[in-house]
Amino acid sequence: MAAPPEVAFGQLLFAGIAFMLLAGGSLVVFLVTYQKRLLHQQLHLRLAEAEHQQQLLTAIIEAQEGERERIGRDLHDGIGSTISTAKLLLNRLETLPPHADDAQGLLKLIREIMSTAVHDVRSISHSLYPAVLARFGLAEALQHLVDVSNETGQLPVVLEIDYPRPLTLAQELALYRIGQELVHNAFKHARGATRLLVQLQQTGARLTLVVEDNGCGFGAAPGRGAGLRSIEVRVQMLQGRLSREAAAGQGARMVVELEARPE
């Protein structure tokens, strides 16, 4: 028969072993549960990222289709109508005697119409790919955009630029498209505006593009059209931030900010 001290030691040893087994089992259960939770979170993040990429791709396609639709409309309503008019005048010119007084007037009118068509073709070509951007950079491209916008006489546009260190061509092209769409939206929705400001400011690695009008604000504009989705997509591609400030009757201010290393 075992002595009482040996019995106590055996019980203590058994209790210690049981405790260690219990602790080890709990640790194993915790690790397995933690691993499952971690895998679930990773799967959730991957699904969320895949969904975001799908939404981004959808938005890109919608923006591209919107741009194509607008270009097609410009070709049909602008250049198509202009050339059709010139063709009708040419047909009329063929029926007149060579030295008729009306012939010289028609010829002059046809030349003016064709000059307008050439100007429209150049404008559409520039909207497809701004050659001035590839040759001279973002600052000159924005200046050309503002000059062309002012030629319409619809709304005075003022440009302020402080852009000493150019970015990459891809970044500049995305910023130009953003600025182009913002100006287009302002012309379309800034009812009552008497001034449009386009500002490009570079401070260190931070670049800020501002398009601001003193019109009606967002009250009369649609919430999220194809143009705005196109802007948001390009801002996301640049890993930037888009903010909107507007109040009814107090104008609208669109700000794009990004951190980018100069070329």
Side-chain angles (χ1 to χ4, degrees), residues 7 13 22 34 41 59 66 72 88 108 114 120-121 125 138 150 153 155-157 163 178 181 184 191 243 261:
V7 173
L13 180 62
L22 180 61
Y34 176 78
Q41 290 178 349
L88 291 174
K108 181 180 179 181
M114 295 310 297
D120 291 343
V121 168
S125 175
L138 179 60
N150 282 328
L155 178 64
V157 185
Y163 182 60
I178 292 170
E181 191 62 46
H184 173 77
R191 299 175 187 172
S243 59
R261 294 181 178 179

Side-chain angles (χ1 to χ4, degrees), residues 194-261:
T194 59
R195 180 176 180 269
L196 180 65
L197 172 66
V198 179
Q199 186 179 66
L200 183 67
Q201 181 74 34
Q202 188 180 47
T203 305
R206 177 175 293 274
L207 190 68
T208 305
L209 175 65
V210 177
V211 177
E212 180 181 16
D213 67 75
N214 61 348
C216 64
F218 292 146
R224 285 175 60 84
L228 182 57
R229 287 196 298 272
S230 172
I231 293 169
E232 290 175 341
V233 167
R234 288 191 168 95
V235 171
Q236 290 181 29
M237 293 173 64
L238 289 170
Q239 298 181 347
R241 185 170 66 91
L242 173 67
S243 59
R244 295 175 285 170
E245 304 171 6
Q250 298 182 14
R253 176 182 172 88
M254 304 287 287
V255 182
V256 177
E257 296 178 289
L258 67 140
E259 298 285 339
R261 294 181 178 179

Side-chain angles (χ1 to χ4, degrees), residues 7-25:
V7 173
F9 176 77
Q11 293 175 346
L12 183 63
L13 180 62
F14 178 78
I17 293 173
F19 176 77
M20 291 178 63
L21 290 174
L22 180 61

Side-chain angles (χ1 to χ4, degrees), residues 153-165:
Q154 182 178 351
L155 178 64
V157 185
V158 177
L159 178 64
E160 297 179 358
I161 292 182
D162 183 9
Y163 182 60
R165 294 174 296 280

Side-chain angles (χ1 to χ4, degrees), residues 79-100:
I79 298 175
S81 299
T82 302
I83 293 177
S84 296
T85 302
K87 182 179 178 181
L88 291 174
L89 293 176
L90 280 172
N91 291 336
R92 183 181 173 187
L93 183 63
E94 291 177 350
T95 64
L96 295 176
H99 301 290

Side-chain angles (χ1 to χ4, degrees), residues 122-183:
R122 289 176 177 173
S123 297
I124 294 175
S125 175
H126 181 78
S127 68
L128 286 171
Y129 186 80
V132 66
L133 175 69
R135 294 179 182 177
F136 305 109
L138 179 60
E140 289 297 327
L142 288 177
Q143 183 64 62
H144 182 267
L145 173 64
V146 169
D147 291 342
V148 172
S149 299
N150 282 328
E151 284 181 5
T152 65
Q154 182 178 351
L155 178 64
V157 185
V158 177
L159 178 64
E160 297 179 358
I161 292 182
D162 183 9
Y163 182 60
R165 294 174 296 280
L167 305 181
T168 64
L169 179 59
Q171 289 174 318
E172 288 196 336
L173 180 58
L175 280 168
Y176 175 80
R177 291 302 188 196
I178 292 170
Q180 185 181 39
E181 191 62 46
L182 288 175
V183 170

